[in-house]
Amino acid sequence: FGGQIVSCEPLSGAFAELSHRAARDDQWIAVNTAVGSETGSATINVSENSFSSSIRDMTDAHLDTAPGSRYIATETVPVTTVRELVTDHVIDVSRTLLKIDTQGFEGEVLRGAGDLVGQMGAIQIELSFVELYEGQLLFDELVAGLAEEGYRLQQLEPGISDRDGRLLQVDGLFVRRSDD
């Protein structure tokens, strides 16, 4: 990929690794922040496996499936919005893939984008069938909301399943519907 990439990572340890990788590409910008519905700060729960870290509290359904995801610490992190990132980095939203990997905070990220959501070229988002993080939006709500914004579901990629094989989460790729 030869275009600009703006990656946000709130955790200090993961951000150090991201920054190191991004330094090899002049078009890749790493920002040490969480993304949500408004700017400010938040306390993020740091997971033992790192990638399950979330501003939201984890549910028993998640812990039962992935015991190594338990929280071991917290960090206070800055929070920005998609709208602010678009403005700060002069992003052409019509040619942008917005990838949301926020462990139950997807609704807040979309709210922080406001009307830019319907203008994004594509959106990739985690979709949970059961509540893995307290208060998160689930599959049906997110799919319906993105459809209302003019997107169609292009592709699903399996995520995590419980011990019985029940699919708990997928990644969904949504593209703007064309009028033709």
Side-chain angles (χ1 to χ4, degrees):
F1 178 72
Q4 182 182 31
I5 300 170
V6 178
S7 297
C8 298
E9 173 54 56
L11 297 177
S12 56
F15 179 73
E17 185 177 327
L18 172 65
S19 294
H20 178 73
R21 290 181 183 189
R24 295 181 250 160
D25 184 339
D26 292 338
Q27 293 280 51
W28 192 355
I29 299 163
V31 184
N32 189 196
T33 189
V35 182
S37 60
E38 56 188 39
T39 60
S41 64
T43 300
I44 190 167
N45 300 298
V46 181
S47 171
E48 184 176 5
N49 67 14
S50 181
F51 53 81
S52 294
S53 300
S54 179
I55 291 172
R56 294 198 176 276
D57 289 329
M58 194 177 297
T59 66
D60 288 341
H62 192 298
L63 282 170
D64 291 345
T65 299
S69 63
R70 69 181 175 83
Y71 294 143
I72 57 170
T74 60
E75 286 185 29
T76 300
V77 297
V79 180
T80 191
T81 65
V82 169
R83 180 172 295 286
E84 189 169 273
L85 290 164
V86 165
T87 300
D88 290 351
H89 299 285
V90 193
I91 296 171
D92 176 1
V93 294
S94 68
R95 299 179 44 81
T96 295
L97 165 66
L98 174 62
K99 181 180 186 288
I100 304 173
D101 185 356
T102 56
Q103 310 311 318
F105 218 58
E106 298 82 12
E108 287 79 359
V109 173
L110 293 170
R111 278 193 289 285
D115 64 351
L116 295 177
V117 170
Q119 300 172 42
M120 296 280 174
I123 297 175
Q124 181 179 340
I125 190 167
E126 287 182 327
L127 302 162
S128 294
F129 297 107
V130 300
E131 193 177 50
L132 299 174
Y133 297 92
E134 292 180 9
Q136 76 177 111
L137 295 178
L138 298 178
F139 181 93
D140 291 341
E141 297 164 294
L142 289 165
V143 171
L146 289 170
E148 286 177 19
E149 292 292 341
Y151 293 89
R152 67 177 164 77
L153 181 57
Q154 177 75 15
Q155 187 175 36
L156 290 175
E157 181 178 323
I160 62 171
S161 298
D162 67 13
R163 292 179 183 151
D164 295 330
R166 176 180 166 196
L167 190 60
L168 302 177
Q169 187 179 70
V170 295
D171 283 341
L173 176 63
F174 295 81
V175 295
R176 269 198 336 234
R177 289 189 299 262
S178 62
D179 294 334
D180 32 71

